[in-house]
Amino acid sequence: MNQQRVVLITGGMGGLGETISTKMAEAGYRVAVTYSPGNKNHGEWVQQMKARGHDILAVPCDVADIDSCVQAVAAVAEQAGPIDILINNAGITRDMTFKKMDKVNWDAVLRTNLDSLFNMSKQVADGMVERGWGRIVNVSSVNGSKGAFGQTNYSAAKAGVHGFTKALALEVARKGVTVNTISPGYIGTKMVTAIPDEILNTKILPQIPVGRLGKPEEVAGLIIYLASDEAAFVTGANIAINGGQHMQ
Ligand code: CAA
């Protein structure tokens, strides 16, 4: 990399997000993250990262709210420069059987996990096209293609992610901008370890051919590749990183 590229990672303080942020900082990027406006520990997190040698810019943002995204992206652009790489990573679960699911829990997941792609990409895509270089990586899930018990909301949103990826990738393909989806399987983060042990051990782990949860570092490595110059010919792809679950 000749100049330090600016990467913005939504939910970049969270389980997977923190590893993506720190690995990208180690790889030489200027890293900015969004955190949810309710997160009271953001200052402490930034200090912890500083102590580990990473100077990470953190801005509040509700990715479900477009005005909040406008403000967050403007703040990053002002302090770090235009965004070269956007990682749409922020996501939530509200797992429950469809019988118990109400509209509030449906909307929360669809807005945070899918509307966010519009809200954030809208702020950066035109600039990437004008500059002739850009990368957008959208974090979906194995459950977007295979479905998951208790996740009608999450599976629907994550399936939508790849449709968005492919359509936008086509529109910017000749402008030096790639748009890709990655679909992690079960990674050892808080989101997964919150699943009851009984369900994790009896229903989920036996479905993973490599026989273990994935590591956040493994996902970060894939994102770093997709963000690189070498990945210029990869666009509109949906890359599975799930220990072989997609084969079943
Ligand atoms: N497959 C098949 N059956 C399942 C099941 C599964 N994955 N999970 C639960 N069941 C069955 C239970 O065995 C139980 O069966 P019986 O009634 O015959 O005993 C029945 O469904 C009801 O289960 P619960 O008692 O757990 O029901 P609940 O209402 O208390 O909880 C639930 C339902 C919240 C969906 C809970 O089962 C759960 O948390 N499941 C895990 C959901 C999941 O996999 N989430 C993924 C989170 S990680 C993630 O999303 C990251 C990613 O991208 C991969």
Side-chain angles (χ1 to χ4, degrees):
M1 246 188 317
N2 299 329
Q3 100 255 27
Q4 199 182 29
R5 286 189 171 133
V6 177
V7 55
L8 176 60
I9 302 152
T10 65
M13 288 183 190
L16 188 54
E18 179 177 300
T19 305
I20 300 168
S21 311
T22 52
K23 289 286 170 196
M24 292 202 83
E26 282 164 17
Y29 292 93
R30 173 75 173 108
V31 176
V33 299
T34 72
Y35 59 90
S36 73
N39 180 346
K40 301 268 185 281
N41 299 323
H42 59 92
E44 199 182 312
W45 185 88
V46 169
Q47 289 312 316
Q48 278 170 11
M49 292 302 120
K50 207 161 261 171
R52 286 167 58 181
H54 307 310
D55 184 17
I56 296 181
L57 172 63
V59 295
C61 181
D62 174 1
V63 294
D65 177 64
I66 189 148
D67 294 336
S68 181
C69 295
V70 170
Q71 285 172 22
V73 170
V76 172
E78 196 185 310
Q79 295 174 69
I83 291 152
D84 301 300
I85 303 157
L86 170 66
I87 315 294
N88 281 312
N89 163 71
I92 58 169
T93 53
R94 294 283 185 274
D95 293 352
M96 59 197 72
T97 55
F98 187 64
K99 197 178 170 63
K100 292 183 188 163
M101 191 169 295
D102 57 17
K103 186 77 164 69
V104 172
N105 287 303
W106 171 267
D107 287 343
V109 170
L110 269 287
R111 292 182 67 233
T112 301
N113 296 9
L114 184 58
D115 289 5
S116 57
L117 268 59
F118 174 85
N119 295 344
M120 290 299 299
S121 308
K122 190 74 186 157
Q123 312 314 318
V124 302
D126 287 352
M128 290 176 178
V129 166
E130 275 158 29
R131 294 188 299 278
W133 198 94
R135 299 281 184 266
I136 298 178
V137 180
N138 297 319
V139 180
S140 178
S141 164
V142 65
N143 293 341
S145 48
K146 77 184 259 311
F149 191 103
Q151 289 198 308
T152 48
N153 51 2
Y154 187 87
S155 298
K158 292 298 191 183
V161 167
H162 194 49
F164 174 89
T165 290
K166 287 187 287 187
L168 183 58
L170 280 172
E171 292 185 21
V172 297
R174 288 170 183 265
K175 307 291 181 187
V177 180
T178 69
V179 188
N180 289 290
T181 300
I182 62 163
S183 286
Y186 287 79
I187 310 298
T189 63
K190 253 191 299 181
M191 189 182 271
V192 169
T193 51
I195 300 171
D197 279 353
E198 197 337 68
I199 301 283
L200 193 58
N201 294 328
T202 63
K203 308 275 188 206
I204 293 171
L205 278 172
Q207 291 180 24
I208 305 176
V210 304
R212 63 166 173 86
L213 297 178
K215 297 178 188 158
E217 293 77 10
E218 292 166 334
V219 178
L222 174 59
I223 292 176
I224 289 171
Y225 167 68
L226 289 173
S228 70
D229 283 321
E230 289 73 16
F233 207 51
V234 182
T235 197
N238 182 2
I239 302 181
I241 176 160
N242 60 27
Q245 253 194 296
H246 60 281
M247 292 182 285
Q248 294 169 336

